[in-house]
Amino acid sequence: MSSSSSAEVESLDEKHPHKTSHDEDSYLSMKEPDEMDIGGLGEDVERIELLPPATPAEPAPAPHSTTRSSIIWMIVNTLATIGIVFTNKAIFSDPTLKLAQLTFAAFHFFMTWLTLFTLSRPKFGMFVPKRVAVKQIIPLAIAMSLNVILPNLSLAFSTVTFYQVARILLTPTVALMNFVLYKSTLPRGAILALIPACLGVGMVAYYDSKPSADASIKTTSSLGVIFAMSGIFASSLYTVWISSYHKKLQMNSMQLLFNQAPLAAFMLLYVIPFVDTFPTWTEVPINRWGMIMMSGFFACVINMSQFFIIAQTGPVSSTVVGHGKTCSIVALGWITSGRAVGDKSIIGVLVAVGGIITYSIVMLKHKAAGGK
């Protein structure tokens, strides 16, 4: 999986392990991507939603130790997220690998399963695997595949800046889906904040896709915009479905993903020969193989670090980390794109990022005041 997986991305009370099961159920119908990490899922396509495992209470570590550990894991998660986005972009810039997206997704699903398998071993004991009938999660596995493949295609045909800014649309899209399906509503202030966020993404899409007279300036193709919007819809649907599957199957996120990942990879094997265009593998440069291995490594690190972030920090810290990753990727993407500081699309970037940060502040205050 990649970058994102973002939308960018993110479960409400799953970030509050001290909540009761009744409280958790009350939030299942409303997921917000800026607070949920989904295999990608989210502002980076690798983000996944992880619930702390239900384990007996243990003595709490010293506050200083917990704070230091949390900071370390947040830094590791941020660096790995930035690393996977730019590594995948470099991989997809190779024309011989750009159209092997399903194979790449299957590889990442395998790496995700391998990570979760390792974390479930008695030596780590981070969660207890739970099996479910294959037929029950086939729709979710298909949505998971689209949630990774479409954003990856967006990254392949877009600039990093547009790809990352476009993931901001996950939040309003999920909110709209929840309103249509569950009649869930947002505070008025949050809705107002999403308006400039959407307008900002539109401005970036317009200016970033305009042809440039300077060949050194990277732009977004029409295909990149189409794949981005399709990926937003797929990621939002996956986010909403995750909510209902948690409740229906009585499984936490690690248990659910442990079942999804291998099934998604297995299903892709039947489609790969008809869809992917393969390079001559012996002619793929060694450095590309190294990047592919790095991408898989980053995926493992992101999945593991996200577990600790959710288990050890509150919603404010997690939200700050999410926006920090978004801003870092957008800034680095802008620098590497070759665009000037005065380029008009920077206005759209600032409007979109400002809108989504304002939305997060409004929602955090709303929850702190006891809102649902």
Side-chain angles (χ1 to χ4, degrees):
M1 289 184 288
S2 92
S3 137
S4 246
S5 342
S6 212
E8 302 30 267
V9 242
E10 307 132 332
S11 71
L12 302 181
D13 281 318
E14 290 162 0
K15 291 199 169 182
H16 302 273
H18 59 277
K19 292 277 187 180
T20 64
S21 59
H22 172 75
D23 289 335
E24 290 172 356
D25 288 344
S26 69
Y27 281 107
L28 282 172
S29 63
M30 184 61 193
K31 302 296 236 182
E32 295 172 36
D34 59 309
E35 294 180 336
M36 185 181 70
D37 291 323
I38 46 179
L41 313 169
E43 66 258 3
D44 52 89
V45 275
E46 273 310 312
R47 298 171 66 185
I48 62 171
E49 168 195 32
L50 297 179
L51 271 174
T55 55
E58 298 179 355
H64 177 70
S65 175
T66 300
T67 301
R68 183 174 59 184
S69 174
S70 299
I71 292 174
I72 291 173
W73 281 115
M74 285 189 285
I75 293 173
V76 168
N77 181 268
T78 299
L79 294 177
T81 299
I82 295 172
I84 199 169
V85 171
F86 285 93
T87 300
N88 288 351
K89 179 61 178 176
I91 293 170
F92 299 149
S93 66
D94 188 330
T96 63
L97 297 173
K98 180 180 288 188
L99 299 179
Q101 292 288 345
L102 272 65
T103 303
F104 191 72
F107 164 67
H108 271 272
F109 291 152
F110 171 75
M111 294 302 296
T112 297
W113 173 83
L114 185 62
T115 303
L116 293 174
F117 176 80
T118 302
L119 296 179
S120 70
R121 296 302 86 193
K123 182 178 180 179
F124 297 95
M126 292 187 178
F127 76 102
V128 178
K130 182 178 177 181
R131 295 295 179 183
V132 64
V134 170
K135 64 181 181 181
Q136 289 185 277
I137 59 170
I138 285 179
L140 192 62
I142 294 174
M144 177 186 181
S145 299
L146 294 175
N147 172 60
V148 172
I149 294 168
L150 291 173
N152 276 351
L153 283 167
S154 169
L155 182 59
F157 291 92
S158 307
T159 63
V160 171
T161 297
F162 171 72
Y163 158 79
Q164 192 65 32
V165 170
R167 302 300 289 173
I168 287 174
L169 291 179
L170 275 169
T171 300
T173 306
V174 169
L176 180 60
M177 284 187 177
N178 273 300
F179 175 74
V180 172
L181 297 175
Y182 306 113
K183 304 302 179 185
S184 297
T185 58
L186 296 175
R188 179 176 297 179
I191 296 174
L192 293 176
L194 290 178
I195 295 175
C198 294
L199 291 176
V201 174
M203 293 173 64
V204 176
Y206 174 75
Y207 287 113
D208 208 62
S209 59
K210 291 182 67 175
S212 174
D214 188 346
S216 66
I217 295 179
K218 300 173 184 177
T219 59
T220 296
S221 67
S222 299
L223 274 178
V225 176
I226 293 171
F227 283 132
M229 297 303 107
S230 302
I232 293 301
F233 180 82
S235 297
S236 300
L237 181 62
Y238 178 69
T239 302
V240 173
W241 275 6
I242 279 286
S243 173
S244 61
Y245 272 81
H246 278 311
K247 186 174 183 180
K248 180 170 67 175
L249 300 178
Q250 293 296 301
M251 299 170 69
N252 67 32
S253 297
M254 298 184 91
Q255 293 169 331
L256 193 56
L257 193 59
F258 188 70
N259 284 274
Q260 287 173 244
L263 177 59
F266 183 75
M267 290 192 300
L268 287 178
L269 294 179
Y270 288 91
V271 186
I272 285 173
F274 305 100
V275 176
D276 279 5
T277 300
F278 299 108
T280 302
W281 298 111
T282 55
E283 296 179 3
V284 176
I286 295 296
N287 67 320
R288 295 295 183 198
W289 285 115
M291 288 181 182
I292 292 172
M293 293 300 105
M294 283 176 58
S295 179
F297 170 74
F298 285 140
C300 293
V301 172
I302 290 169
N303 291 344
M304 185 178 297
S305 60
Q306 191 60 42
F307 169 83
F308 288 102
I309 291 174
I310 291 176
Q312 297 179 6
T313 68
V316 175
S317 298
S318 299
T319 301
V320 170
V321 170
H323 291 317
K325 290 188 286 187
T326 295
C327 293
S328 299
I329 293 171
V330 168
L332 290 172
W334 186 275
I335 294 171
T336 57
S337 70
R339 290 182 177 272
V341 175
D343 193 290
K344 292 181 180 179
S345 58
I346 191 65
I347 300 174
V349 171
L350 295 176
V351 171
V353 174
I356 202 64
I357 290 177
T358 302
Y359 164 85
S360 298
I361 293 172
V362 171
M363 291 303 298
L364 288 171
K365 289 182 177 179
H366 178 68
K367 290 167 197 168
K372 294 185 178 182

